[in-house]
Coordinates of all heavy atoms in Angstrom, one line a residue:
M1 N 23.5 -43.1 -54.3 CA 23.4 -43.3 -52.9 C 23.5 -42.0 -52.2 O 24.4 -41.2 -52.5 CB 24.4 -44.3 -52.4 CG 23.7 -45.6 -52.0 SD 24.7 -46.4 -50.7 CE 26.1 -46.9 -51.7
N2 N 22.6 -41.7 -51.2 CA 22.8 -40.4 -50.5 C 23.8 -40.5 -49.4 O 24.2 -41.6 -49.0 CB 21.5 -39.8 -50.1 CG 20.8 -40.7 -49.1 OD1 21.4 -41.3 -48.2 ND2 19.5 -40.8 -49.2
K3 N 24.2 -39.4 -48.8 CA 25.2 -39.3 -47.8 C 24.8 -40.0 -46.6 O 25.6 -40.7 -45.9 CB 25.4 -37.9 -47.4 CG 26.6 -37.2 -48.2 CD 26.7 -35.8 -47.6 CE 27.6 -35.0 -48.6 NZ 27.7 -33.6 -48.2
Q4 N 23.6 -39.9 -46.2 CA 23.1 -40.7 -45.0 C 23.2 -42.1 -45.1 O 23.5 -42.9 -44.2 CB 21.6 -40.2 -44.7 CG 21.6 -38.7 -44.1 CD 20.6 -38.5 -43.1 OE1 19.7 -39.2 -43.1 NE2 20.8 -37.5 -42.3
K5 N 22.8 -42.6 -46.3 CA 22.9 -44.1 -46.6 C 24.3 -44.6 -46.4 O 24.6 -45.6 -45.8 CB 22.3 -44.3 -47.9 CG 22.1 -45.7 -48.3 CD 20.7 -46.2 -48.2 CE 20.4 -47.7 -48.0 NZ 20.7 -48.4 -49.3
I6 N 25.3 -43.8 -47.1 CA 26.6 -44.2 -47.0 C 27.2 -44.2 -45.6 O 27.7 -45.2 -45.1 CB 27.5 -43.3 -47.9 CG1 27.1 -43.4 -49.4 CG2 29.0 -43.6 -47.7 CD1 27.6 -42.3 -50.3
A7 N 26.7 -43.2 -44.8 CA 27.2 -43.0 -43.4 C 26.6 -44.1 -42.6 O 27.3 -44.8 -41.8 CB 26.7 -41.7 -42.9
Q8 N 25.4 -44.5 -42.8 CA 24.8 -45.7 -42.1 C 25.5 -47.0 -42.3 O 25.8 -47.7 -41.4 CB 23.3 -45.8 -42.6 CG 22.5 -46.8 -41.8 CD 22.3 -46.5 -40.4 OE1 21.8 -45.3 -40.0 NE2 22.6 -47.3 -39.4
E9 N 26.0 -47.2 -43.6 CA 26.7 -48.4 -44.0 C 28.1 -48.3 -43.2 O 28.6 -49.4 -42.7 CB 26.9 -48.5 -45.4 CG 25.6 -49.1 -46.1 CD 25.9 -49.3 -47.5 OE1 27.0 -49.2 -48.0 OE2 24.8 -49.5 -48.3
R10 N 28.7 -47.1 -43.3 CA 30.0 -47.0 -42.6 C 29.9 -47.3 -41.1 O 30.7 -48.0 -40.5 CB 30.6 -45.7 -42.8 CG 31.1 -45.5 -44.2 CD 32.2 -44.4 -44.2 NE 32.7 -44.3 -45.5 CZ 32.8 -43.0 -46.1 NH1 32.6 -41.9 -45.3 NH2 33.2 -42.9 -47.4
I11 N 28.9 -46.8 -40.6 CA 28.7 -46.9 -39.1 C 28.5 -48.5 -38.7 O 29.0 -49.0 -37.7 CB 27.5 -46.1 -38.6 CG1 27.9 -44.6 -38.6 CG2 26.9 -46.5 -37.3 CD1 26.8 -43.6 -38.3
E12 N 27.7 -49.1 -39.5 CA 27.5 -50.5 -39.3 C 28.9 -51.3 -39.3 O 29.1 -52.2 -38.5 CB 26.5 -51.1 -40.3 CG 25.1 -51.0 -39.8 CD 24.1 -51.2 -40.9 OE1 24.3 -52.0 -41.9 OE2 23.0 -50.5 -40.8
I13 N 29.7 -51.0 -40.3 CA 31.0 -51.6 -40.4 C 31.8 -51.3 -39.2 O 32.4 -52.1 -38.6 CB 31.7 -51.2 -41.8 CG1 31.0 -51.7 -42.9 CG2 33.2 -51.7 -41.7 CD1 31.4 -51.1 -44.3
L14 N 31.8 -50.0 -38.8 CA 32.6 -49.6 -37.6 C 32.1 -50.4 -36.3 O 33.0 -50.7 -35.5 CB 32.5 -48.1 -37.4 CG 33.3 -47.3 -38.4 CD1 33.0 -45.9 -38.4 CD2 34.8 -47.4 -38.1
F15 N 30.8 -50.5 -36.2 CA 30.4 -51.2 -35.0 C 30.9 -52.7 -35.0 O 31.3 -53.2 -34.0 CB 28.8 -51.4 -35.0 CG 28.2 -50.2 -34.3 CD1 27.2 -49.4 -34.9 CD2 28.5 -49.7 -33.1 CE1 26.6 -48.2 -34.3 CE2 28.0 -48.6 -32.3 CZ 27.0 -47.9 -33.0
K16 N 30.9 -53.3 -36.2 CA 31.4 -54.7 -36.3 C 32.8 -54.8 -36.0 O 33.2 -55.6 -35.2 CB 31.1 -55.2 -37.8 CG 30.7 -56.5 -37.8 CD 30.3 -57.0 -39.2 CE 30.7 -58.4 -39.5 NZ 31.7 -58.6 -40.5
L17 N 33.7 -53.8 -36.5 CA 35.0 -53.7 -36.2 C 35.3 -53.5 -34.7 O 36.1 -54.2 -34.2 CB 35.7 -52.6 -37.0 CG 35.9 -52.9 -38.5 CD1 36.3 -51.6 -39.2 CD2 36.9 -54.0 -38.8
A18 N 34.5 -52.6 -34.1 CA 34.7 -52.4 -32.7 C 34.5 -53.6 -31.9 O 35.2 -53.9 -30.8 CB 33.7 -51.2 -32.3
Q19 N 33.4 -54.4 -32.3 CA 33.2 -55.6 -31.5 C 34.2 -56.6 -31.7 O 34.6 -57.4 -30.8 CB 31.8 -56.2 -32.0 CG 30.6 -55.4 -31.4 CD 29.3 -55.6 -32.1 OE1 29.3 -55.9 -33.2 NE2 28.3 -55.2 -31.4
E20 N 34.8 -56.7 -32.9 CA 35.8 -57.7 -33.2 C 37.1 -57.5 -32.5 O 37.9 -58.3 -32.1 CB 36.1 -57.8 -34.8 CG 35.0 -58.5 -35.5 CD 35.2 -58.4 -37.0 OE1 36.2 -57.8 -37.4 OE2 34.2 -58.8 -37.7
E21 N 37.4 -56.1 -32.4 CA 38.7 -55.7 -31.8 C 38.7 -55.6 -30.2 O 39.7 -55.4 -29.7 CB 39.1 -54.3 -32.3 CG 39.4 -54.4 -33.9 CD 40.7 -55.0 -34.2 OE1 41.5 -55.3 -33.3 OE2 41.1 -55.2 -35.4
F22 N 37.5 -55.6 -29.7 CA 37.4 -55.1 -28.3 C 38.3 -56.0 -27.3 O 39.0 -55.4 -26.5 CB 35.9 -55.2 -27.8 CG 35.8 -54.8 -26.4 CD1 35.8 -53.4 -26.0 CD2 35.5 -55.6 -25.4 CE1 35.6 -53.0 -24.8 CE2 35.5 -55.2 -24.1 CZ 35.5 -53.9 -23.8
D23 N 38.2 -57.3 -27.5 CA 39.0 -58.1 -26.6 C 40.5 -57.9 -26.7 O 41.2 -57.8 -25.7 CB 38.7 -59.6 -26.9 CG 37.4 -60.0 -26.2 OD1 37.2 -59.4 -25.1 OD2 36.8 -60.9 -26.7
K24 N 41.0 -57.8 -27.9 CA 42.5 -57.7 -28.1 C 43.0 -56.3 -28.1 O 44.1 -56.0 -27.6 CB 42.9 -58.4 -29.4 CG 42.9 -59.9 -29.3 CD 43.4 -60.6 -30.6 CE 43.2 -62.0 -30.5 NZ 43.3 -62.7 -31.8
H25 N 42.2 -55.5 -28.7 CA 42.6 -54.0 -28.9 C 41.4 -53.0 -28.4 O 40.9 -52.4 -29.2 CB 43.0 -53.7 -30.2 CG 44.0 -54.7 -30.9 ND1 45.3 -54.6 -30.6 CD2 43.9 -55.7 -31.7 CE1 45.9 -55.6 -31.3 NE2 45.1 -56.3 -31.9
P26 N 41.3 -52.9 -27.1 CA 40.2 -52.0 -26.6 C 40.4 -50.6 -27.1 O 39.3 -49.9 -27.3 CB 40.3 -52.2 -25.1 CG 41.5 -52.9 -24.8 CD 41.9 -53.6 -26.0
E27 N 41.6 -50.2 -27.2 CA 41.8 -48.8 -27.7 C 41.4 -48.5 -29.1 O 40.8 -47.5 -29.5 CB 43.3 -48.4 -27.5 CG 43.7 -48.1 -26.1 CD 42.8 -47.1 -25.3 OE1 42.5 -46.1 -25.9 OE2 42.4 -47.5 -24.2
R28 N 41.6 -49.6 -29.9 CA 41.2 -49.6 -31.3 C 39.7 -49.5 -31.4 O 39.1 -48.8 -32.1 CB 41.9 -50.7 -32.0 CG 42.2 -50.4 -33.5 CD 42.8 -51.6 -34.2 NE 44.1 -51.9 -33.8 CZ 44.9 -52.9 -34.2 NH1 44.2 -53.8 -34.9 NH2 46.1 -53.1 -33.9
S29 N 39.1 -50.3 -30.6 CA 37.7 -50.4 -30.5 C 37.0 -49.1 -30.1 O 36.1 -48.6 -30.9 CB 37.3 -51.5 -29.5 OG 35.9 -51.2 -29.0
K30 N 37.7 -48.4 -29.2 CA 37.2 -47.1 -28.8 C 37.3 -46.1 -30.0 O 36.4 -45.3 -30.1 CB 38.0 -46.6 -27.6 CG 37.4 -45.6 -26.8 CD 38.3 -45.3 -25.6 CE 37.8 -46.0 -24.3 NZ 38.3 -45.4 -23.1
R31 N 38.4 -46.2 -30.7 CA 38.6 -45.3 -31.8 C 37.5 -45.5 -32.9 O 37.0 -44.5 -33.5 CB 40.0 -45.4 -32.4 CG 40.7 -44.1 -32.7 CD 42.1 -44.2 -33.1 NE 42.8 -45.1 -32.2 CZ 43.8 -46.0 -32.7 NH1 44.0 -46.1 -33.9 NH2 44.5 -46.7 -31.9
Y32 N 37.1 -46.7 -33.1 CA 36.1 -46.9 -34.1 C 34.8 -46.3 -33.7 O 34.1 -45.7 -34.5 CB 35.9 -48.5 -34.3 CG 37.0 -49.2 -35.0 CD1 37.4 -50.4 -34.6 CD2 37.6 -48.6 -36.1 CE1 38.5 -51.1 -35.2 CE2 38.6 -49.3 -36.8 CZ 39.1 -50.5 -36.3 OH 40.1 -51.2 -37.0
L33 N 34.6 -46.4 -32.4 CA 33.2 -45.8 -31.9 C 33.3 -44.3 -31.9 O 32.3 -43.7 -32.0 CB 33.0 -46.4 -30.5 CG 32.7 -48.0 -30.5 CD1 32.6 -48.5 -29.2 CD2 31.4 -48.2 -31.4
E34 N 34.5 -43.8 -31.7 CA 34.6 -42.3 -31.8 C 34.3 -41.8 -33.3 O 33.7 -40.8 -33.5 CB 36.1 -41.9 -31.5 CG 36.3 -41.7 -29.9 CD 37.8 -41.6 -29.6 OE1 38.6 -41.4 -30.5 OE2 38.0 -41.7 -28.3
L35 N 34.8 -42.7 -34.1 CA 34.5 -42.4 -35.6 C 33.0 -42.4 -35.9 O 32.5 -41.6 -36.7 CB 35.3 -43.4 -36.5 CG 36.6 -43.1 -36.9 CD1 37.2 -44.2 -37.7 CD2 36.6 -41.8 -37.9
V36 N 32.3 -43.5 -35.3 CA 31.0 -43.5 -35.5 C 30.2 -42.2 -35.1 O 29.4 -41.7 -35.8 CB 30.3 -44.7 -34.6 CG1 28.8 -44.5 -34.4 CG2 30.7 -46.0 -35.1
D37 N 30.7 -41.7 -34.0 CA 30.1 -40.4 -33.5 C 30.5 -39.3 -34.4 O 29.6 -38.4 -34.8 CB 30.7 -40.0 -32.1 CG 29.5 -40.1 -31.1 OD1 28.4 -40.3 -31.4 OD2 29.9 -39.7 -29.9
K38 N 31.7 -39.3 -35.0 CA 32.0 -38.2 -35.9 C 31.2 -38.2 -37.2 O 30.7 -37.2 -37.7 CB 33.5 -38.3 -36.2 CG 34.4 -37.4 -35.4 CD 35.8 -37.5 -35.9 CE 36.8 -37.1 -34.7 NZ 38.1 -37.7 -34.8
I39 N 31.1 -39.4 -37.7 CA 30.3 -39.6 -38.9 C 28.9 -39.2 -38.7 O 28.2 -38.5 -39.5 CB 30.4 -41.1 -39.4 CG1 31.9 -41.4 -39.9 CG2 29.5 -41.3 -40.7 CD1 32.1 -42.8 -40.2
R40 N 28.3 -39.7 -37.6 CA 27.0 -39.5 -37.3 C 26.7 -37.9 -37.1 O 25.7 -37.5 -37.7 CB 26.7 -40.1 -36.0 CG 25.3 -40.1 -35.5 CD 25.2 -40.7 -34.1 NE 25.9 -39.8 -33.2 CZ 25.5 -38.7 -32.7 NH1 24.3 -38.3 -33.0 NH2 26.3 -38.0 -31.8
T41 N 27.6 -37.2 -36.4 CA 27.4 -35.8 -36.3 C 27.5 -35.1 -37.7 O 26.8 -34.1 -37.9 CB 28.5 -35.3 -35.4 OG1 28.6 -36.1 -34.3 CG2 28.0 -33.9 -34.8
K42 N 28.5 -35.5 -38.5 CA 28.7 -34.8 -39.8 C 27.5 -34.9 -40.7 O 27.2 -33.9 -41.3 CB 29.8 -35.5 -40.4 CG 30.7 -34.7 -41.3 CD 31.9 -35.5 -41.7 CE 32.6 -34.8 -42.9 NZ 33.7 -35.7 -43.4
V43 N 26.9 -36.0 -40.8 CA 25.7 -36.0 -41.7 C 24.3 -36.0 -40.9 O 23.3 -36.1 -41.5 CB 25.7 -37.4 -42.5 CG1 26.9 -37.4 -43.3 CG2 25.7 -38.6 -41.7
N44 N 24.4 -35.6 -39.7 CA 23.2 -35.5 -38.8 C 22.4 -36.7 -38.9 O 21.2 -36.6 -39.1 CB 22.5 -34.3 -39.4 CG 21.7 -33.6 -38.4 OD1 21.7 -33.9 -37.2 ND2 20.9 -32.6 -38.8
L45 N 23.0 -37.9 -38.5 CA 22.2 -39.1 -38.6 C 21.9 -39.5 -37.2 O 22.7 -39.4 -36.3 CB 23.2 -40.1 -39.2 CG 22.5 -41.5 -39.6 CD1 21.8 -41.4 -40.9 CD2 23.7 -42.6 -39.7
R46 N 20.7 -40.1 -37.0 CA 20.3 -40.6 -35.8 C 20.6 -42.1 -35.8 O 20.3 -42.8 -36.7 CB 18.7 -40.5 -35.6 CG 18.4 -39.2 -35.0 CD 16.9 -39.0 -35.1 NE 16.5 -37.7 -34.8 CZ 16.0 -37.4 -33.5 NH1 15.8 -38.3 -32.7 NH2 15.7 -36.1 -33.2
L47 N 21.2 -42.5 -34.7 CA 21.4 -43.9 -34.5 C 20.1 -44.6 -34.1 O 19.2 -44.0 -33.6 CB 22.4 -44.1 -33.3 CG 23.9 -43.7 -33.5 CD1 24.7 -44.0 -32.3 CD2 24.5 -44.3 -34.8
T48 N 20.0 -45.9 -34.4 CA 18.8 -46.6 -34.1 C 18.8 -46.9 -32.7 O 19.9 -46.9 -32.0 CB 18.7 -48.0 -34.9 OG1 19.8 -48.8 -34.5 CG2 18.8 -47.8 -36.4
K49 N 17.7 -47.2 -32.2 CA 17.6 -47.6 -30.7 C 18.6 -48.7 -30.3 O 19.2 -48.6 -29.3 CB 16.2 -48.0 -30.4 CG 15.6 -47.4 -29.1 CD 14.2 -47.9 -28.9 CE 13.8 -47.5 -27.5 NZ 12.5 -48.0 -27.2
E50 N 18.7 -49.7 -31.2 CA 19.6 -50.8 -31.0 C 21.0 -50.4 -30.9 O 21.9 -50.9 -30.2 CB 19.4 -51.9 -32.0 CG 18.0 -52.6 -32.0 CD 17.7 -53.1 -30.5 OE1 18.6 -53.7 -29.9 OE2 16.6 -52.7 -30.0
Q51 N 21.3 -49.4 -31.8 CA 22.8 -49.0 -32.0 C 23.2 -48.1 -30.7 O 24.3 -48.2 -30.3 CB 22.9 -48.1 -33.3 CG 23.0 -49.0 -34.5 CD 23.0 -48.2 -35.7 OE1 22.5 -47.0 -35.7 NE2 23.4 -48.7 -36.9
K52 N 22.2 -47.5 -30.2 CA 22.4 -46.6 -29.0 C 22.8 -47.5 -27.8 O 23.5 -47.1 -26.9 CB 21.3 -45.8 -28.6 CG 21.1 -44.6 -29.5 CD 19.9 -43.8 -29.1 CE 19.6 -42.6 -30.1 NZ 18.3 -42.1 -29.9
K53 N 22.4 -48.7 -27.8 CA 22.6 -49.7 -26.7 C 24.0 -50.4 -26.8 O 24.2 -51.3 -26.0 CB 21.5 -50.7 -26.6 CG 20.2 -50.1 -26.2 CD 19.0 -51.1 -26.2 CE 17.8 -50.5 -25.8 NZ 16.7 -51.4 -25.9
L54 N 24.6 -50.1 -27.9 CA 25.9 -50.8 -28.1 C 27.2 -50.2 -27.5 O 28.2 -50.9 -27.3 CB 26.2 -50.9 -29.7 CG 25.2 -51.8 -30.5 CD1 25.5 -51.7 -31.9 CD2 25.3 -53.3 -30.0
F55 N 27.1 -48.9 -27.2 CA 28.3 -48.3 -26.7 C 27.9 -47.0 -25.8 O 26.9 -46.4 -25.9 CB 29.3 -47.9 -27.8 CG 28.8 -46.7 -28.6 CD1 29.5 -45.5 -28.6 CD2 27.7 -46.8 -29.5 CE1 29.1 -44.4 -29.4 CE2 27.3 -45.7 -30.3 CZ 28.0 -44.6 -30.2
C56 N 29.0 -46.6 -25.1 CA 28.8 -45.4 -24.3 C 29.1 -44.1 -25.2 O 30.1 -44.0 -25.7 CB 29.7 -45.4 -23.1 SG 29.8 -43.9 -22.1
K57 N 28.1 -43.3 -25.1 CA 28.3 -42.1 -25.9 C 29.3 -41.1 -25.4 O 29.9 -40.2 -26.1 CB 26.9 -41.3 -25.9 CG 26.6 -40.6 -27.2 CD 25.1 -40.0 -27.0 CE 24.9 -39.0 -28.1 NZ 23.6 -38.3 -27.8
K58 N 29.6 -41.2 -24.1 CA 30.5 -40.3 -23.4 C 31.9 -40.7 -23.6 O 32.8 -39.9 -24.0 CB 30.1 -40.2 -21.9 CG 30.7 -38.9 -21.3 CD 30.3 -38.8 -19.8 CE 31.1 -37.8 -19.1 NZ 31.1 -38.0 -17.8
C59 N 32.2 -42.0 -23.3 CA 33.6 -42.4 -23.4 C 33.9 -43.4 -24.5 O 35.1 -43.8 -24.6 CB 34.1 -43.0 -22.0 SG 33.4 -44.7 -21.6
H60 N 32.9 -43.7 -25.3 CA 33.0 -44.5 -26.5 C 33.6 -46.0 -26.1 O 34.3 -46.6 -27.0 CB 34.0 -43.9 -27.5 CG 33.5 -42.5 -27.9 ND1 34.0 -41.4 -27.4 CD2 32.5 -42.2 -28.8 CE1 33.3 -40.4 -28.0 NE2 32.3 -40.8 -28.8
T61 N 33.3 -46.4 -25.0 CA 33.5 -47.8 -24.7 C 32.5 -48.7 -25.2 O 31.2 -48.4 -25.1 CB 33.7 -48.0 -23.2 OG1 34.7 -47.2 -22.7 CG2 33.8 -49.5 -22.8
L62 N 32.8 -49.8 -25.8 CA 31.9 -50.8 -26.3 C 31.1 -51.4 -25.1 O 31.8 -51.9 -24.1 CB 32.5 -51.9 -27.1 CG 31.7 -52.9 -27.8 CD1 30.9 -52.3 -29.0 CD2 32.4 -54.2 -28.2
W63 N 29.9 -51.5 -25.1 CA 29.1 -52.1 -24.0 C 29.0 -53.6 -24.1 O 28.3 -54.1 -25.1 CB 27.9 -51.4 -23.9 CG 27.9 -50.1 -23.1 CD1 28.9 -49.6 -22.4 CD2 26.8 -49.1 -23.0 NE1 28.6 -48.4 -21.8 CE2 27.3 -48.1 -22.2 CE3 25.6 -49.1 -23.6 CZ2 26.6 -46.9 -22.0 CZ3 24.8 -47.9 -23.3 CH2 25.4 -46.9 -22.5
I64 N 29.5 -54.3 -23.1 CA 29.4 -55.7 -23.0 C 28.7 -56.0 -21.6 O 29.4 -55.7 -20.6 CB 30.6 -56.5 -23.3 CG1 31.1 -56.3 -24.7 CG2 30.5 -58.0 -23.0 CD1 32.5 -56.7 -24.9
K65 N 27.6 -56.6 -21.6 CA 26.9 -56.8 -20.4 C 27.7 -57.6 -19.5 O 28.3 -58.6 -19.8 CB 25.6 -57.7 -20.7 CG 24.3 -57.1 -20.1 CD 23.2 -57.9 -20.7 CE 22.0 -57.8 -19.8 NZ 20.8 -58.6 -20.4
G66 N 27.8 -57.0 -18.2 CA 28.5 -57.7 -17.1 C 30.1 -57.4 -17.1 O 30.7 -57.7 -16.2
K67 N 30.4 -56.7 -18.2 CA 31.8 -56.4 -18.4 C 32.0 -54.9 -18.3 O 32.6 -54.4 -17.4 CB 32.4 -57.0 -19.7 CG 33.8 -57.5 -19.6 CD 34.1 -58.2 -20.9 CE 35.5 -58.8 -20.8 NZ 35.9 -59.4 -22.1
T68 N 31.5 -54.2 -19.3 CA 31.6 -52.8 -19.3 C 30.2 -52.2 -19.1 O 30.1 -50.9 -19.2 CB 32.1 -52.3 -20.7 OG1 31.4 -52.8 -21.7 CG2 33.6 -52.7 -20.7
L69 N 29.2 -53.0 -18.9 CA 27.8 -52.4 -18.9 C 27.0 -53.2 -17.8 O 27.1 -54.3 -17.7 CB 27.1 -52.6 -20.2 CG 25.6 -52.3 -20.3 CD1 25.4 -50.8 -20.1 CD2 25.1 -52.9 -21.5
E70 N 26.2 -52.3 -17.1 CA 25.3 -52.9 -16.1 C 23.9 -52.3 -16.5 O 23.8 -51.1 -16.8 CB 25.7 -52.4 -14.8 CG 25.3 -53.3 -13.7 CD 25.7 -52.8 -12.3 OE1 27.0 -52.8 -12.1 OE2 24.9 -52.4 -11.5
I71 N 22.9 -53.2 -16.4 CA 21.5 -52.6 -16.8 C 20.7 -52.8 -15.6 O 20.5 -53.9 -15.1 CB 21.0 -53.5 -18.0 CG1 21.9 -53.4 -19.2 CG2 19.6 -52.9 -18.4 CD1 21.5 -54.2 -20.4
K72 N 20.1 -51.7 -15.2 CA 19.1 -51.6 -14.2 C 17.7 -51.7 -14.8 O 17.4 -50.8 -15.6 CB 19.2 -50.4 -13.3 CG 20.0 -50.6 -12.1 CD 19.9 -49.4 -11.2 CE 21.2 -49.1 -10.5 NZ 21.2 -47.6 -9.9
K73 N 17.0 -52.7 -14.5 CA 15.6 -52.8 -15.0 C 14.6 -52.0 -14.1 O 14.6 -52.3 -12.9 CB 15.2 -54.3 -15.1 CG 16.1 -55.1 -16.1 CD 15.6 -55.2 -17.4 CE 16.4 -56.0 -18.3 NZ 16.1 -55.9 -19.7
C74 N 13.8 -51.3 -14.7 CA 12.7 -50.6 -13.9 C 11.4 -51.0 -14.5 O 11.2 -50.8 -15.7 CB 12.9 -49.2 -13.8 SG 14.6 -48.7 -13.4
A75 N 10.4 -51.4 -13.7 CA 9.2 -51.7 -14.3 C 8.5 -50.4 -14.9 O 8.5 -49.4 -14.3 CB 8.3 -52.2 -13.1
K76 N 8.0 -50.6 -16.1 CA 7.3 -49.6 -16.7 C 8.1 -48.4 -17.2 O 7.6 -47.5 -17.8 CB 6.0 -49.0 -16.0 CG 5.0 -50.2 -16.0 CD 3.7 -49.6 -15.2 CE 2.7 -50.6 -14.9 NZ 1.7 -50.2 -14.0
L77 N 9.4 -48.4 -16.8 CA 10.3 -47.3 -17.2 C 11.4 -47.9 -18.2 O 11.6 -49.0 -18.1 CB 10.9 -46.7 -16.0 CG 10.0 -45.9 -15.1 CD1 10.7 -45.6 -13.7 CD2 9.7 -44.6 -15.7
P78 N 12.0 -47.0 -18.9 CA 13.1 -47.5 -19.7 C 14.3 -48.0 -18.8 O 14.4 -47.6 -17.7 CB 13.6 -46.2 -20.4 CG 12.7 -45.1 -20.2 CD 11.8 -45.5 -19.0
D79 N 15.0 -49.0 -19.3 CA 16.1 -49.6 -18.6 C 17.1 -48.5 -18.4 O 17.3 -47.6 -19.2 CB 16.7 -50.8 -19.3 CG 15.8 -51.9 -19.5 OD1 14.8 -52.0 -18.7 OD2 15.9 -52.7 -20.4
I80 N 17.9 -48.6 -17.3 CA 19.0 -47.7 -17.1 C 20.4 -48.4 -17.4 O 20.6 -49.5 -16.9 CB 19.1 -47.2 -15.6 CG1 17.8 -46.3 -15.4 CG2 20.3 -46.2 -15.4 CD1 17.7 -45.9 -13.9
Y81 N 21.0 -47.8 -18.4 CA 22.3 -48.4 -18.8 C 23.5 -47.7 -18.1 O 23.5 -46.5 -18.2 CB 22.4 -48.3 -20.3 CG 21.7 -49.3 -21.1 CD1 20.3 -49.4 -21.0 CD2 22.4 -50.3 -21.9 CE1 19.6 -50.4 -21.6 CE2 21.7 -51.2 -22.7 CZ 20.3 -51.3 -22.5 OH 19.6 -52.3 -23.2
I82 N 24.3 -48.4 -17.4 CA 25.3 -47.8 -16.6 C 26.7 -48.2 -17.2 O 27.0 -49.5 -17.3 CB 25.2 -48.1 -15.1 CG1 23.9 -47.8 -14.5 CG2 26.4 -47.4 -14.4 CD1 23.6 -48.4 -13.3
C83 N 27.4 -47.3 -17.7 CA 28.7 -47.6 -18.3 C 29.8 -47.8 -17.1 O 29.9 -46.9 -16.3 CB 29.2 -46.4 -19.1 SG 30.9 -46.6 -19.8
K84 N 30.4 -49.0 -17.1 CA 31.3 -49.2 -16.0 C 32.6 -48.6 -16.2 O 33.4 -48.5 -15.3 CB 31.5 -50.8 -15.9 CG 30.3 -51.5 -15.3 CD 30.7 -52.9 -15.0 CE 29.6 -53.7 -14.2 NZ 30.0 -55.0 -13.9
A85 N 32.9 -48.1 -17.4 CA 34.1 -47.4 -17.7 C 34.1 -46.0 -17.1 O 35.1 -45.4 -16.7 CB 34.4 -47.4 -19.1
C86 N 33.0 -45.3 -17.3 CA 32.9 -43.8 -16.8 C 31.7 -43.6 -15.9 O 31.6 -42.3 -15.6 CB 32.9 -42.9 -18.1 SG 31.4 -43.0 -19.0
D87 N 31.0 -44.5 -15.5 CA 29.9 -44.3 -14.6 C 28.7 -43.5 -15.1 O 28.0 -43.0 -14.3 CB 30.4 -43.8 -13.3 CG 31.0 -44.9 -12.4 OD1 30.6 -46.0 -12.5 OD2 31.9 -44.5 -11.6
T88 N 28.7 -43.3 -16.4 CA 27.6 -42.6 -16.9 C 26.3 -43.4 -17.0 O 26.4 -44.6 -17.4 CB 27.8 -42.1 -18.4 OG1 29.0 -41.2 -18.3 CG2 26.7 -41.3 -19.1
E89 N 25.2 -42.8 -16.6 CA 23.9 -43.5 -16.7 C 23.1 -43.0 -17.8 O 22.9 -41.8 -18.0 CB 23.2 -43.3 -15.3 CG 23.8 -44.0 -14.2 CD 22.9 -44.0 -13.0 OE1 21.8 -43.6 -13.0 OE2 23.5 -44.4 -11.9
R90 N 22.4 -43.9 -18.6 CA 21.6 -43.5 -19.7 C 20.3 -44.3 -19.6 O 20.3 -45.5 -19.4 CB 22.2 -43.6 -21.0 CG 23.3 -42.6 -21.2 CD 23.8 -42.7 -22.7 NE 22.9 -42.1 -23.6 CZ 22.8 -42.4 -24.8 NH1 23.6 -43.3 -25.3 NH2 21.9 -41.8 -25.6
K91 N 19.2 -43.7 -19.9 CA 17.9 -44.3 -20.0 C 17.8 -44.7 -21.5 O 17.7 -43.9 -22.3 CB 16.7 -43.4 -19.5 CG 16.7 -43.2 -18.0 CD 15.4 -42.5 -17.6 CE 15.3 -42.2 -16.2 NZ 15.6 -40.8 -15.9
L92 N 17.6 -46.0 -21.6 CA 17.5 -46.5 -23.0 C 16.4 -47.5 -23.1 O 16.0 -48.2 -22.2 CB 18.8 -47.1 -23.5 CG 19.9 -46.1 -23.8 CD1 21.2 -46.9 -23.9 CD2 19.7 -45.4 -25.1
Ligands
LIG101 ZN1 31.3 -44.5 -20.6

């Protein structure tokens, strides 16, 4: 197995853990997502489009619609994802 494949698998596990821990341990959830970023940078891996929509790249908060995330829909344009934790806007 190559490094990227292993990294991809680890990242998927970390996403799952971050989602499981979010309600009870938001800080732990954040740490998992920081790890995702670290692993990703280390092996130069691109997250999938779906994975990018799961959390804030800036503050590593897990995005839950209506809770930590607001989505602005624009016709013919990419949606704007607004992180409610740090107010960062991203087109996704
Ligand atoms: Zn944020």
Side-chain angles (χ1 to χ4, degrees):
M1 249 204 296
N2 65 39
K3 267 186 193 171
Q4 291 215 331
K5 187 102 198 289
I6 295 166
Q8 186 67 53
E9 280 185 11
R10 284 209 183 131
I11 284 170
E12 272 164 32
I13 293 165
L14 286 166
F15 273 129
K16 215 174 148 241
L17 287 170
Q19 281 160 341
E20 284 170 6
E21 295 283 356
F22 184 75
D23 277 333
K24 282 183 190 162
H25 308 283
E27 283 310 309
R28 215 179 280 174
S29 161
K30 203 175 259 196
R31 225 173 311 142
Y32 289 137
L33 295 171
E34 280 168 9
L35 268 176
V36 166
D37 244 3
K38 262 187 205 152
I39 293 170
R40 186 188 62 78
T41 318
K42 209 170 163 187
V43 297
N44 209 4
L45 188 82
R46 270 168 191 264
L47 293 180
T48 66
K49 225 179 168 188
E50 293 311 310
Q51 287 173 333
K52 282 181 190 168
K53 292 177 179 174
L54 292 176
F55 74 111
C56 175
K57 215 177 163 184
K58 200 178 167 201
C59 72
H60 301 102
T61 296
L62 184 76
W63 276 347
I64 295 166
K65 230 172 159 181
K67 218 171 182 184
T68 54
L69 171 71
E70 206 176 297
I71 302 173
K72 264 193 214 162
K73 301 259 179 196
C74 309
K76 289 181 188 170
L77 287 169
D79 295 339
I80 298 171
Y81 280 59
I82 304 160
C83 174
K84 286 192 171 181
C86 72
D87 279 332
T88 297
E89 292 188 8
R90 289 187 74 200
K91 288 191 184 102
L92 286 165

